[in-house]
Amino acid sequence: MLKPITWAMPALFTALFAASPALTDDKVLNLYSARHYQADEALYGNFTKQTGIQINRIEGKAHELIERIRTEGANSPADIFITADAASLVIADAGGMFAPVKSKLLEARIPAHLRSDTWFSFSTRARMIIYNKRKLKAEDVPTYESLADPKLKGMLCSIPGGHIYNLALVATQIAHNGDAKAEEWAKGLVANLARSPRGGDTDQIRSVAIGECAVAVSNSYYLARMMGSDKVEERNLTKRLGVVWPNQGSYGTHINVSGGGVVKTSKNREAAIKFLEYLVSDDAQRYFANGNNEWPAVPSVKVDNEELAELGSFQADQLPLSNMAKHLGNAQKMLDRVGYR
Ligand code: FE
């Protein structure tokens, strides 16, 4: 679990990259990655084939890698940090981890709400409502707000309140509906819980399928993964589920992203930017997104993914992720106040 909101602002980073020449003859990029999928191997291999630049991957959990880069300071070998949620990107950024990157290509390919001056999203996933078809109908749970309706008392399953995916959703509620309404809503969710929050999104999907609860929210790729599982029991579980793209009549479905940026102390800045630019190419976008059943961040690129096709299309929330992120600290305090643990 990330406990990032309490992070002290960073020690001053000495911006060495500005003083030292870009080491274009250095043929290795150190990629600190909190995203680990099989398909990413081929993705990085293709970059090496095209450019001769090797990718040396250092894997870990987002908060561990952020802490490691911070501790390594000016001597950090990290060139790029990649992670699988917007909140971690923003936390890393607030800690001064990233260097600003000006790239016409990245700006042209990635929609403005999915990037900042320092970090860029490369794929998106949606936070969808999943319900048990025997217990509820789609029209019972059309919006995130509807999950707080007292008629759902004892029906809601949830990951822990402070889980980074939940924090981002709550921060979005604050951005759209304001503090007071968001807090009422969070209280309503707690009152509707079927059991104390625990586990990850996949656990919630299972609990809904077996009827331990009637409804939950989950990132889309966990459901897509189960739908495409080679285990027939997993696939059968998903057949009991109905899916709602929340808030189609208002601001749209909350999305989150995988993304990354160039580490401020990188000695390979040019190659690092080249790598980010490679990630928005059509082929890399397909690999990056499809490897985890996500959608490409570049809108013109389509993936050929049976499960995502079955889930259909939806209107995504256009709230800039950086606006969402402003409310993360507040979201955590609010969840503490209402006892959503
Ligand atoms: Fe995840």
Side-chain angles (χ1 to χ4, degrees), residues 130-341:
I130 291 168
Y131 63 93
N132 183 309
K133 286 192 282 192
R134 286 198 196 153
K135 293 174 183 270
L136 290 172
K137 295 190 174 60
E139 48 276 30
D140 294 321
V141 285
T143 61
Y144 299 113
E145 287 82 350
S146 70
L147 297 177
D149 191 317
K151 79 178 179 202
L152 299 182
K153 193 167 175 56
M155 292 192 184
L156 180 67
C157 272
S158 174
I159 56 176
H163 189 293
I164 203 81
Y165 296 155
N166 198 54
L167 272 184
L169 177 64
V170 174
T172 303
Q173 283 289 308
I174 296 173
H176 285 303
N177 297 336
D179 282 295
K181 269 196 182 165
E183 185 150 350
E184 270 314 296
W185 171 75
K187 246 184 230 169
L189 296 190
V190 172
N192 284 345
L193 288 172
R195 53 163 166 76
S196 54
R198 61 169 179 268
D201 282 348
T202 304
D203 301 303
Q204 316 313 317
I205 300 175
R206 287 211 182 90
S207 295
V208 173
I210 64 174
E212 194 184 345
C213 37
V215 64
V217 291
S218 168
N219 281 354
S220 43
Y221 56 89
Y222 293 110
L223 179 63
R225 197 182 289 168
M226 276 177 80
M227 288 162 68
S229 170
D230 44 22
K231 295 191 192 109
V232 66
E233 319 85 76
E234 294 269 296
R235 294 200 304 275
N236 283 342
L237 280 180
T238 65
K239 290 178 183 145
R240 305 178 186 180
L241 303 170
V243 163
V244 167
W245 297 116
N247 295 75
Q248 293 303 282
S250 55
Y251 49 77
T253 296
H254 170 61
I255 55 165
N256 207 323
V257 299
S258 287
V262 176
V263 176
K264 207 167 180 175
T265 47
S266 167
K267 319 295 183 292
N268 289 307
R269 188 176 156 75
E270 260 177 54
I273 294 174
K274 203 182 270 182
F275 180 72
L276 297 189
E277 292 183 335
Y278 161 78
L279 287 182
V280 296
S281 65
D282 286 9
D283 281 348
Q285 276 286 286
R286 275 186 217 109
Y287 264 116
F288 195 92
N290 217 15
N292 186 35
N293 296 297
E294 294 179 87
W295 295 279
V298 177
S300 59
V301 180
K302 304 287 176 248
V303 285
D304 185 14
N305 180 306
E306 213 177 296
E307 287 72 37
L308 293 185
E310 197 180 327
L311 289 175
S313 60
F314 63 98
Q315 199 59 49
D317 191 350
Q318 302 289 307
L319 180 78
L321 291 172
S322 43
N323 282 11
M324 174 282 285
K326 285 183 212 154
H327 302 287
L328 284 168
N330 227 354
Q332 180 64 68
K333 285 185 207 140
M334 181 177 287
L335 293 172
D336 288 344
R337 277 198 300 275
V338 304
Y340 194 159
R341 304 203 197 283

Side-chain angles (χ1 to χ4, degrees), residues 57-93:
R57 224 179 328 163
I58 293 101
E59 296 193 336
K61 295 197 167 117
H63 65 286
E64 291 165 359
L65 293 175
I66 291 172
E67 183 56 26
R68 179 163 164 182
I69 293 170
R70 197 174 69 93
T71 311
E72 288 168 346
N75 296 322
S76 176
D79 295 304
I80 293 165
F81 174 64
I82 291 222
T83 187
D85 71 273
S88 293
L89 284 172
V90 170
I91 289 155
D93 196 27

